[in-house]
Amino acid sequence: MNDTYYEFGTAADRWDRAQLFFEAKEYLTAARILGGLVEEAPEQVAPRLLLARSYYHSARLARAEEELRAVLERDPVESYARLMLGRTLERQGRQTEAATHLRLAAALSGDFGQPENGA
């Protein structure tokens, strides 16, 4: 495929195409399309999250982390981005840093875990 295929159509067309590639587990192709969308509208969270997921699933963990941090810079209470960042850091062997984000994600989503000692 050539570059014009990825750039073809409206932003909505490209968003739909990226989602189709992601669902087909063609993560690198989805990321290629989403990269252009993120450049055009860096303030939108959904394309960045899907781009981060595409990077995560294709083991491009540093890039996933970069996109997730960009989402959290814009929206610090985005619980799914916190969860994904925690999982991304875990995959990189950064357990201590991951634990912080995973706890924040749980708190933001209202999951406070089981009470200790039956309390």
Side-chain angles (χ1 to χ4, degrees):
M1 288 184 246
N2 61 32
D3 287 340
T4 58
Y5 175 77
Y6 298 103
E7 299 165 357
F8 179 75
T10 66
D13 292 335
R14 289 177 283 139
W15 170 247
D16 289 342
R17 190 176 308 123
Q19 288 179 305
L20 288 172
F21 278 109
F22 184 87
E23 290 168 12
K25 299 182 180 182
E26 294 288 337
Y27 303 119
L28 292 177
T29 303
R32 189 168 178 185
I33 297 166
L34 290 161
L37 290 172
V38 166
E39 280 183 29
E40 289 175 26
E43 72 285 353
Q44 291 189 0
V45 171
R48 267 196 200 276
L49 278 176
L50 192 57
L51 178 57
R53 289 177 66 199
S54 297
Y55 286 148
Y56 178 87
H57 288 297
S58 60
R60 297 167 83 185
L61 301 177
R63 287 188 164 199
E65 179 183 349
E66 181 181 317
E67 292 302 327
L68 292 165
R69 290 189 187 279
V71 167
L72 291 169
E73 190 174 293
R74 289 169 174 73
D75 186 359
V77 295
E78 170 53 62
S79 63
Y80 186 67
R82 287 269 173 214
L83 175 65
M84 279 192 62
L85 181 56
R87 298 289 180 232
T88 300
L89 294 169
E90 279 182 331
R91 281 185 70 186
Q92 294 178 68
R94 295 160 58 190
Q95 308 305 338
T96 303
E97 192 177 351
T100 301
H101 291 285
L102 294 173
R103 279 193 304 275
L104 276 168
L108 290 168
S109 66
D111 179 11
F112 297 104
Q114 296 296 323
E116 293 183 30
N117 300 327

